[in-house]
Amino acid sequence: MEKKAKIKIAITIASLAAISILFTRQQRRRRKLNQCSQYSCYLQSEPKPQHNFKRVLADNSYSPFKHANKEKSSGSHPYELEITALLENPRPEFDFSNVDLDLQRSDSFVWVETKSQLNELANALSKEFFFAVDTEQHSLRSFLGFTALIQISTEKEDYLVDTIALHDEISILQPFFADPGVCKVFHGSDNDVMWLQRDFHIYVVNLFDTAKACEVLSKPQKSLAYLLETYCGVATNKFLQREDWRQRPLPAEMLQYAQTDAHYLLYIAKCLVAELKQQGNENSYCPDDKFNFVLEASRRSNTVCLQVYTKEIESYPGEAAASSIFFRLLNGQGGVSSISSVTQDLVRRLCAWRDLMARVHDESLRFVLSDQAIIALANKAPANPTDVYTTIAQADSDVDCLNLSSSLPSPSPVVCSHLDDVERQVCNNVENLDDILLANLQKCLGPNGSCPLSVFNYVLPAKSNWELKNQSNKFVYKQNGVKVSRQVAKKASRDLFVQKFSCKSPVYHNCRIYANDGRLLCYCDRKKLEWYLTRDLAKLVEDNPPAIMLLFEPKGRPEDEGNEFYIQSKKNICVSCGEGNHYLRYRIIPSCYRIHFPEQLKSHRSHDIVLLCVDCHEVAHAAAEKYKKQISAEFGIPLFIHKVADSRKAEARPGFSASITNFEAGVSPLQLRTAAMALLHHGPTMPSNRREELRRIVMRYYGGREISQEDLERALLVGMSPRERRRHAKKRGLSLKMSKPTDFPDRQQDSYPAVMVESATMDATKADNVLGLHAIETQKSGEKEGRSSLTESHESKPPTCSNGGIDQLVFSTIWKKMNSTSKVSDSKDDSVGNVDDECENSSVQNGFGSSSPTPNSKVSLLGHGPHGKQVVDYLLREYGEDGIRQFCQRWRQVFVEALHPHFLPAGWDVMHRREFGEFSVYNPAKKPADDGAAEINKMHH
Ligand code: AMP
Ligand code: MN
Ligand code: ZN
């Protein structure tokens, strides 16, 4: 009896405990579900180290990996020739025997995380004939994985290279890995060789793989742990290899592990080579190469080098994973056909979705959604987000019970941010998978996308080439023709562009300004209203959209000028096709010219900056670029500066011989900058003939004299616009502060480069009088000329992204990809950027105008800025301001002919010219003669 009661109590307690555990578990789950936001991507709040990478060679798109290009390489491997040469004729020089290798591992190593430390490593490697290498990889929180650490050991030193911090710089090690004269020792190099290609375009040539040597020697084992133990008496904890190698700082234990992995390799190689030689001698009755064991090990090793990294290509996304799941589902019985077609379909959909999401978020498949969760979802087909959530959590916790090591969040943050999408994959069996995926992609990365764009996923929509894969799979693509898919992909790519670069808010606020008698004076933006309001010059009369009434009498009314243009509201649509969802500002008069206009002529800006959708923008810009070329030919003024030379007198510098003999003076600014940059960054490590070649280019800028380090630094700054210069200075940061101050040419009047005119490109007399600066000496005439001619322009540079989310480099790549000829001009920080200055209407403006932008910064010499300056100067000199007006009319004509716009505001006119009131600040004192304008018309039409 008593016993029974005891059991009863025990059971009750146990069940209560079980219930409460279940309850709290569910509570926790529910709480977690609530925390799961379906509207914003988890990545917004969880930055990952790879997001700081600027250059990513293997992105997550479905397109094949691009290998490095090298001259004379025929196949896909850039060093095929060098490696096959080694295979046919191995270098029998793995002679480590006379090298003093230290078996003792000291605790010290060199941690390499800055560029200068990396340069020191490069310097050290340039003296070595062999070094040992190992790499550590991170693959859980990345789609393709990335190299988190490279360990390099020389005879003297162990280096641990932080390849996360130095991701974009590591390529300076390329030459050492590719040098057939330097032997690289790895253990089990197959993966490392691929990873180095994938992340850094590092190709290994001349490899000695200690694992291959073990094979040749028929060792009982070929693991590194075995070799470390047998040859070095060192035990290692191989569990550490699965640790998260992204951690910084790395725990001491992991640092030690990493150092150990490479440190002993040279010593082990030395022992193994000795054994290989020994074996060779024992088999010396046969002098055949086949029995030269050292050569055989070398051949096997270098065969590894010949492999090329490729991205896995599937006939539909997630195909391989789906087949492996089918096998698991089968549990050994029946064929795939024994799984219901509904389940098969679901598994395929979920695998495809997982594949796409992993690429978008740069996560591994396992991290996004486990195989067991896919199976559970396919079996249960949950009907709402909560069910999806619990199904996944349950499936993962069941497996977790068996495998304690797994501690991944379940469901993953990816699933949490996209729960409704998962549900759609499961519930919707009508839609074609291709469409669902593209819809998902557009939702994530599209116009109102929720997930961040990074170098890893930005090409995803543009390059998704699923359409190429459908032949092999009837299931996915039976309804979709190749063309449809390509169009959809193209559209996704364009949408992405629109999302990133179109105006984020309406350009025209259409605020109104009334005169104190209630008559409308103009439309303008909010800022202008505030200007009047804060100064108590006006009162607010309406709220939405806001309108003010001036409290003073303006000197004149728009009607007096007979120009309706300034008193109409403007629509936020593409003036060409009427598209209202996205638009960018377009400058009808290219800024390379406009920036040089006299102040009073710049005030037409609201007339000559219009809104265009991305597509129309592209068309207009292409037409404008073409017309620039025409102008260049017509006026004989080249679009780019051909040559620059230092205008300083060559100072007599101690230690420099005057070697200015027979030297071609002057050099293209682009060539100059590239050469100076390469010398400054890679000078010490580049081959000497190349270095000499580059040095001679820079010397041409300095009139052929010998150049110093300081000259190089100065050459780098030639022709930089202030913005480029600031960026440059920032980048150099500390190193600049620490080195002795270099003179920045913009502070020094004598250091303007002289712009040389290449007489071959134009008629010499014309050039003379068109440009007014014909030779090095002419330019010397003054700082004044230099200052005014070098005015900032954004024409030739890719636009800066206003939302800062994307790297400049990435941007130019996108843009180049999407459109090989045209560019979007940026507006935010441009002096002509404000479209909303209709208020510049002279009558209102009198006495209250906002200060006009001062164009005294300098243009990049690499752009069209100098061309623009010369054209404008010529027009002003020959035809006065009317020449400029006519010039503007020509550009408006070009614009109209390119687009035939249907939605231009009323009053917009090719012939538009703004007359200024008698009292206008812009009213020119003397009017230029009209016959000048007639003449220019004759001349150019
Ligand atoms: P190792 O060649 O031992 O230096 O390993 C290099 C990298 O391969 C490690 O950083 C891991 O990312 C990966 N790796 C090697 N073995 C395993 C394993 N058994 N499980 C997971 N990852 C591994
Ligand atoms: Mn390792
Ligand atoms: Zn349009």
Side-chain angles (χ1 to χ4, degrees):
M1 259 323 179
E2 218 182 50
K3 212 178 183 184
K4 257 192 181 170
K6 268 188 186 164
I7 290 172
K8 252 190 185 171
I9 292 167
I11 289 174
T12 317
I13 290 172
S15 9
L16 276 175
I19 289 167
S20 75
I21 287 171
L22 271 178
F23 181 76
T24 43
R25 249 207 197 180
Q26 254 187 350
Q27 284 284 313
R28 208 182 301 148
R29 233 173 242 170
R30 211 166 276 149
R31 222 176 301 138
K32 218 172 157 190
L33 184 58
N34 288 338
Q35 282 165 6
C36 270
S37 161
Q38 295 174 34
Y39 302 103
S40 80
C41 181
Y42 71 99
L43 284 178
Q44 316 275 12
S45 55
E46 196 191 331
K48 301 201 284 183
Q50 66 261 44
H51 285 145
N52 296 324
F53 298 172
K54 293 206 171 68
R55 222 164 74 100
V56 165
L57 301 174
D59 59 52
N60 295 345
S61 71
Y62 294 91
S63 58
F65 180 74
K66 278 206 194 76
H67 279 275
N69 282 324
K70 189 173 147 281
E71 308 161 69
K72 285 193 230 152
S73 71
S74 50
S76 53
H77 195 302
Y79 292 88
E80 195 178 332
L81 288 178
E82 288 82 351
I83 298 169
T84 39
L86 280 180
L87 291 178
E88 282 155 20
N89 201 359
R91 297 184 174 220
E93 62 196 23
F94 302 111
D95 197 2
F96 302 103
S97 51
N98 51 3
V99 177
D100 177 31
L101 284 166
D102 189 6
L103 185 55
Q104 290 311 114
R105 186 184 63 83
S106 86
D107 283 335
S108 71
F109 54 82
V110 182
W111 177 254
V112 180
E113 65 175 355
T114 69
K115 221 172 146 182
S116 63
Q117 290 165 337
L118 187 64
N119 278 324
E120 277 167 38
L121 169 59
N123 198 29
L125 288 183
S126 68
K127 295 173 189 123
E128 299 292 336
F129 289 99
F130 46 83
F131 56 89
V133 187
D134 185 36
T135 71
E136 303 302 329
Q137 186 68 200
H138 180 80
S139 48
L140 179 66
R141 304 298 309 274
S142 153
F143 184 70
L144 293 170
F146 59 87
T147 305
L149 193 72
I150 296 182
Q151 303 102 289
I152 293 180
S153 293
T154 67
E155 278 176 82
K156 304 161 204 91
E157 201 78 74
D158 296 328
Y159 300 88
L160 302 187
V161 186
D162 182 348
T163 51
I164 294 178
L166 290 168
H167 181 270
D168 300 308
E169 321 285 348
I170 293 296
S171 52
I172 87 158
L173 299 181
Q174 279 162 356
F176 308 108
F177 283 89
D179 188 343
V182 178
C183 176
K184 274 70 64 178
V185 178
F186 282 71
H187 179 88
S189 57
D190 305 66
N191 286 329
D192 304 271
V193 163
M194 295 294 102
W195 293 334
L196 291 171
Q197 291 182 9
R198 178 197 64 197
D199 292 345
F200 314 114
H201 275 172
I202 285 182
Y203 296 86
V204 184
V205 179
N206 190 355
L207 169 70
F208 185 82
D209 187 325
T210 47
K212 296 286 176 212
C214 289
E215 271 174 37
V216 175
L217 289 166
S218 309
K219 292 272 171 196
Q221 278 188 49
K222 57 170 187 175
S223 72
L224 182 61
Y226 164 81
L227 291 176
L228 283 172
E229 205 158 317
T230 14
Y231 290 93
C232 315
V234 171
T236 52
N237 174 7
K238 268 287 165 188
F239 278 117
L240 287 172
Q241 82 191 153
R242 305 187 201 186
E243 281 293 324
D244 186 348
W245 287 97
R246 297 174 304 170
Q247 298 174 66
R248 294 293 181 275
L250 278 165
E253 192 188 23
M254 287 172 77
L255 288 169
Q256 191 200 325
Y257 167 88
Q259 186 189 359
T260 309
D261 254 6
H263 174 83
Y264 297 98
L265 282 182
L266 290 179
Y267 177 80
I268 292 171
K270 177 179 164 177
C271 301
L272 291 172
V273 167
E275 284 182 45
L276 288 163
K277 282 186 176 157
Q278 174 76 14
Q279 286 246 12
N281 292 337
E282 281 164 20
N283 292 287
S284 60
Y285 56 86
C286 182
D288 196 316
D289 250 2
K290 220 157 93 191
F291 291 96
N292 184 329
F293 285 75
V294 180
L295 296 191
E296 181 57 20
S298 151
R299 228 180 320 229
R300 289 194 196 182
S301 300
N302 281 310
T303 308
V304 175
C305 301
L306 260 189
Q307 293 184 50
V308 284
Y309 173 75
T310 49
K311 291 199 220 165
E312 208 173 310
I313 305 287
E314 300 176 312
S315 57
Y316 72 85
E319 181 197 32
S323 342
S324 105
I325 287 175
F326 291 146
F327 282 105
R328 197 184 305 193
L329 272 175
L330 290 170
N331 268 332
Q333 0 128 1
V336 177
S337 53
S338 69
I339 307 167
S340 82
S341 69
V342 176
T343 312
Q344 278 190 41
D345 188 23
L346 283 179
V347 169
R348 285 206 177 91
R349 278 162 187 268
L350 288 163
C351 285
W353 178 85
R354 175 175 73 170
D355 186 87
L356 186 69
M357 286 302 110
R359 289 171 193 265
V360 165
H361 299 91
D362 198 35
E363 302 284 3
S364 62
L365 296 177
R366 170 63 198 88
F367 183 78
V368 174
L369 188 62
S370 65
D371 283 359
Q372 64 266 14
I374 288 185
I375 294 172
L377 288 169
N379 282 331
K380 244 187 111 182
N384 59 58
T386 319
D387 263 5
V388 169
Y389 186 98
T390 43
T391 307
I392 295 172
Q394 189 61 48
D396 285 332
S397 74
D398 289 352
V399 172
D400 270 357
C401 293
L402 308 168
N403 176 11
L404 289 169
S405 69
S406 167
S407 54
L408 297 180
S410 169
S412 68
V414 189
V415 168
C416 284
S417 340
H418 299 278
L419 266 183
D420 46 343
D421 294 342
V422 185
E423 185 206 338
R424 201 167 316 122
Q425 300 301 314
V426 178
C427 297
N428 192 330
N429 42 25
V430 190
E431 270 177 86
N432 159 308
L433 179 55
D434 201 10
D435 295 341
I436 301 178
L437 289 181
L438 282 164
N440 275 331
L441 192 58
Q442 282 184 31
K443 213 175 117 191
C444 291
L445 299 175
N448 303 308
S450 55
C451 310
L453 199 68
S454 80
V455 270
F456 291 94
N457 61 24
Y458 79 90
V459 269
L460 201 48
K463 286 187 180 170
S464 85
N465 54 350
W466 301 319
E467 74 274 7
L468 299 176
K469 303 163 192 164
N470 60 4
Q471 293 95 334
S472 59
N473 196 294
K474 285 166 248 133
F475 162 75
V476 188
Y477 295 104
K478 55 189 171 201
Q479 294 159 2
N480 252 11
V482 169
K483 275 194 179 145
V484 175
S485 275
R486 191 166 290 148
Q487 272 170 11
V488 175
K490 217 172 155 190
K491 181 175 179 310
S493 156
R494 182 180 152 283
D495 289 350
L496 182 59
F497 184 84
V498 169
Q499 176 206 345
K500 287 310 262 189
F501 301 108
S502 60
C503 302
K504 295 294 177 294
S505 54
V507 171
Y508 302 117
H509 299 162
N510 286 321
C511 303
R512 286 149 297 157
I513 297 183
Y514 291 98
N516 48 9
D517 59 0
R519 277 159 73 194
L520 182 62
L521 289 172
C522 67
Y523 281 89
C524 63
D525 66 353
R526 285 173 210 278
K527 256 166 93 185
K528 195 132 257 168
L529 289 197
E530 276 152 25
W531 192 92
Y532 285 106
L533 287 172
T534 53
R535 284 163 186 75
D536 288 331
L537 293 168
K539 62 175 181 188
L540 195 66
V541 290
E542 258 171 79
D543 266 340
N544 199 16
I548 57 168
M549 183 182 280
L550 297 183
L551 297 173
F552 60 94
E553 174 56 31
K555 286 189 184 152
R557 297 299 166 95
E559 311 89 277
D560 304 343
E561 287 182 23
N563 190 341
E564 261 179 88
F565 181 79
Y566 295 97
I567 50 162
Q568 56 170 331
S569 73
K570 285 194 207 163
K571 293 193 177 119
N572 287 294
I573 57 171
C574 167
V575 297
S576 173
C577 69
E579 166 73 62
N581 290 322
H582 60 88
Y583 35 77
L584 306 104
R585 291 178 175 87
Y586 178 78
R587 288 161 182 68
I588 294 172
I589 324 287
S591 4
C592 71
Y593 304 113
R594 201 179 177 288
I595 210 104
H596 304 294
F597 286 1
E599 228 21 69
Q600 67 273 20
L601 291 180
K602 279 188 187 170
S603 60
H604 295 276
R605 54 188 124 175
S606 74
H607 186 270
D608 291 332
I609 301 180
V610 292
L611 297 187
L612 288 180
C613 70
V614 166
D615 310 270
C616 295
H617 201 289
E618 204 173 311
V619 174
H621 187 88
E625 287 301 296
K626 204 169 144 202
Y627 199 68
K628 265 193 207 167
K629 286 202 188 109
Q630 196 177 315
I631 299 245
S632 156
E634 193 178 298
F635 288 52
I637 299 174
L639 275 178
F640 291 102
I641 283 182
H642 290 262
K643 280 184 176 182
V644 289
D646 186 25
S647 60
R648 285 200 210 196
K649 285 219 180 82
E651 296 154 35
R653 285 164 190 250
F656 287 118
S657 59
S659 55
I660 317 175
T661 44
N662 194 8
F663 214 87
E664 193 197 337
V667 60
S668 106
L670 180 62
Q671 228 189 341
L672 176 67
R673 191 181 301 176
T674 325
M677 186 107 71
L679 284 172
L680 281 170
H681 292 182
H682 305 298
T685 52
M686 65 174 64
S688 60
N689 52 348
R690 176 69 183 148
R691 185 164 52 232
E692 192 44 34
E693 208 177 292
L694 295 177
R695 257 172 39 79
R696 292 188 74 83
I697 290 174
V698 179
M699 281 164 73
R700 265 159 55 192
Y701 175 72
Y702 289 107
R705 68 167 167 80
E706 277 298 329
I707 49 169
S708 64
Q709 183 76 9
E710 204 180 303
D711 290 329
L712 278 183
E713 309 246 2
R714 211 155 59 83
L716 195 59
L717 301 174
V718 168
M720 275 192 188
S721 68
R723 198 180 338 163
E724 286 176 300
R725 208 166 281 179
R726 276 195 300 275
R727 204 180 300 144
H728 173 74
K730 211 190 226 166
K731 231 160 116 189
R732 294 200 40 199
L734 269 180
S735 66
L736 191 76
K737 275 183 217 154
M738 275 148 62
S739 67
K740 71 181 165 128
T742 350
D743 39 8
F744 281 78
D746 60 339
R747 297 262 165 263
Q748 296 216 344
Q749 53 159 308
D750 64 341
S751 53
Y752 284 113
V755 175
M756 298 170 75
V757 171
E758 193 127 283
S759 45
T761 62
M762 63 173 90
D763 165 53
T765 46
K766 203 172 175 187
D768 252 17
N769 73 64
V770 165
L771 301 167
L773 26 94
H774 35 275
I776 303 184
E777 293 77 29
T778 358
Q779 182 73 9
K780 220 166 35 184
S781 66
E783 192 211 335
K784 216 176 142 209
E785 176 81 45
R787 281 230 192 276
S788 59
S789 75
L790 300 166
T791 306
E792 174 128 325
S793 144
H794 310 286
E795 270 308 290
S796 61
K797 287 174 286 174
T800 349
C801 171
S802 48
N803 56 2
I806 196 161
D807 184 76
Q808 210 32 253
L809 174 79
V810 177
F811 177 83
S812 22
T813 324
I814 298 185
W815 188 244
K816 260 184 236 143
K817 293 242 157 67
M818 296 185 66
N819 179 342
S820 50
T821 48
S822 55
K823 285 176 206 106
V824 184
S825 351
D826 172 41
S827 45
K828 281 266 155 77
D829 48 359
D830 190 320
S831 59
V832 291
N834 184 9
V835 187
D836 287 307
D837 51 1
E838 289 88 345
C839 257
E840 265 184 64
N841 186 317
S842 58
S843 44
V844 177
Q845 198 71 85
N846 274 349
F848 296 98
S850 54
S851 65
S852 43
T854 41
N856 52 6
S857 45
K858 288 185 277 165
V859 234
S860 163
L861 280 187
L862 271 55
H864 293 159
H867 159 83
K869 163 72 178 159
Q870 289 161 19
V871 169
V872 170
D873 282 354
Y874 170 75
L875 288 173
L876 282 173
R877 193 167 49 245
E878 296 294 313
Y879 309 104
E881 290 187 358
D882 258 347
I884 301 292
R885 289 194 189 94
Q886 304 265 338
F887 187 68
C888 292
Q889 288 164 8
R890 287 173 73 177
W891 280 103
R892 292 185 201 118
Q893 194 61 39
V894 169
F895 172 72
V896 167
E897 277 167 21
L899 285 176
H900 301 287
H902 291 300
F903 297 90
L904 280 166
W908 193 92
D909 183 9
V910 168
M911 301 307 286
H912 175 87
R913 57 183 292 159
R914 210 164 144 192
E915 302 298 344
F916 297 102
E918 201 186 337
F919 305 105
S920 165
V921 283
Y922 289 130
N923 195 358
K926 51 178 196 294
K927 284 211 154 192
D930 262 10
D931 46 323
E935 198 179 307
I936 193 175
N937 254 343
K938 250 187 279 159
M939 186 177 152
H940 296 303
H941 284 277

